[in-house]
Amino acid sequence: MFPDNNIFLNASGPKCTTQDELINLNNSQVGSIVSKSCTLLERSGNEEPRYYHNNMGSINSMGLPNLGHKFYLEMSKKISKPYFISIAGLNCDESLEIVEKVLKYIETNETKIDGLEINLSCPNIIGKGQIGYDFEVMDKYFLDCFTILKKYSKKPLIGFKLPPYFEIHHFDIVSDIMKKYPIDFITCINSIGNGLIIDFTKKKTCIRPKYGVGGIGGDYVKPTGLSNVWNFYLNFKKKNIKIKIIGCGGIKKGQDAYEYLLCGADYLQIGTQFYREDVVCFKRISEELKIILNYNKINSLEEIRGKLEVI
Ligand code: RRO
């Protein structure tokens, strides 16, 4: 389950694929750990170069490189912090098959897996769209997923990683779909899909797959991340939906974390900045957040959560 006293997680993606990377996280001051999104079998991912960052953010087209779902199940024996396995099959059927395998594993092993973050928003699988942008498919996916879950008695937290939405009525549609299911949390946002960063001196793209386009993270996406958290928060409040919100996108200092909390985030994930700075970012950002909270005489996060005021 989520820890009460540490709201920070790593974002699934950077530095959470191998055993060394996951142990590095386990030895850090991150609150909970999320694995790299896994497929049924190991994958090497897209062609290199496939990741680039500058001082404004990142672009990636990793293409789901991972060690296969079994590896991430076994890692649960070596991780002492709350541990979330991120799942992203290459299609809905594969993804549901992994969900079922993970639930079976949890049912029959003593090991502790606290949650599943099911990824509905990988922008980089060549030739495939994102489930999170197809509302009919998403609804059917939830139905199938929770039908599987009913068969098991040990239930981890179930959450979904969503793509960024850009139309206000989409938050309404997605909230109405989610209202029908016992979803514990959503993570918003995944990278903004199919952006392009150029090395203008060389007249070249910065990454190779898909003619240079990929998922954008970092400062570039913070306004979109804040807006997605805020709009889901407002929708959930209006509709009395009790789904926790994990904010993600461009958090690199205490002020960013504070802003996400004002928008209604319950927990926070760090991706691009974690890639840049490694695990020390979790301690630094949480200390910076504490300074802001102390300065504003805030004793509990509940005093600011969702308290953004409209001018
Ligand atoms: O591996 C990736 O290319 C990737 C994934 Br699964 C994701 O969810 N988001 C992203 O930006 N890259």
Side-chain angles (χ1 to χ4, degrees), residues 12-13 36-38 43 45-46 50 58-66 86-88 117 119-125 130 161 190-193 214-217:
S12 174
K36 172 67 185 166
S37 295
C38 63
R43 268 174 70 84
N46 292 342
R50 58 193 187 181
S58 60
I59 182 166
N60 87 83
S61 183
M62 305 303 288
L64 259 173
N66 76 90
S86 170
I87 292 173
E117 184 186 79
N119 190 346
L120 303 181
S121 50
C122 176
N124 301 327
I125 301 305
Q130 302 179 39
K161 181 143 178 192
N190 205 323
S191 56
I192 297 184
I216 305 292

Side-chain angles (χ1 to χ4, degrees), residues 78-236:
K78 300 186 172 137
I79 289 177
S80 53
K81 290 184 188 284
Y83 178 47
F84 292 72
I85 296 188
S86 170
I87 292 173
L90 295 177
N91 52 51
C92 289
D93 286 347
E94 180 180 324
S95 172
L96 289 167
E97 191 180 339
I98 304 169
V99 169
E100 174 121 46
K101 285 185 188 302
V102 174
L103 292 172
K104 246 185 214 155
Y105 184 90
I106 294 174
E107 197 86 345
T108 51
N109 284 272
E110 273 315 302
T111 174
K112 183 179 72 69
I113 293 166
D114 296 86
L116 309 188
E117 184 186 79
I118 301 170
N119 190 346
L120 303 181
S121 50
C122 176
N124 301 327
I125 301 305
I126 293 167
K128 308 247 186 217
Q130 302 179 39
I131 301 173
Y133 285 141
D134 187 330
F135 301 136
E136 246 175 72
V137 172
M138 187 158 80
D139 197 348
K140 169 83 168 56
Y141 184 94
F142 289 150
L143 179 67
D144 292 346
C145 185
F146 287 102
T147 306
I148 293 173
L149 196 76
K150 274 193 194 132
K151 298 195 284 182
Y152 296 88
S153 60
K154 288 194 200 164
K155 294 188 200 303
L157 295 173
I158 301 289
F160 296 91
K161 181 143 178 192
L162 300 176
Y165 297 104
F166 302 95
E167 295 280 359
I168 293 298
H169 70 281
H170 286 171
F171 296 103
D172 214 32
I173 296 173
V174 175
S175 303
D176 282 340
I177 296 173
M178 290 194 298
K179 192 169 61 178
K180 301 190 286 179
Y181 304 96
I183 295 171
D184 295 297
F185 69 94
I186 55 168
T187 303
C188 42
I189 54 174
N190 205 323
S191 56
I192 297 184
N194 301 312
L196 182 58
I197 298 179
I198 291 171
D199 181 341
F200 94 104
T201 56
K202 295 190 188 139
K203 294 189 287 180
K204 283 192 172 158
T205 63
C206 294
I207 57 169
R208 182 166 174 79
K210 287 174 81 177
Y211 295 95
V213 308
I216 305 292
D219 295 0
Y220 293 118
V221 312
K222 194 181 103 179
T224 306
L226 287 174
S227 146
N228 273 249
V229 169
W230 180 229
N231 276 291
F232 275 118
Y233 176 80
L234 293 173
N235 254 283
F236 289 176

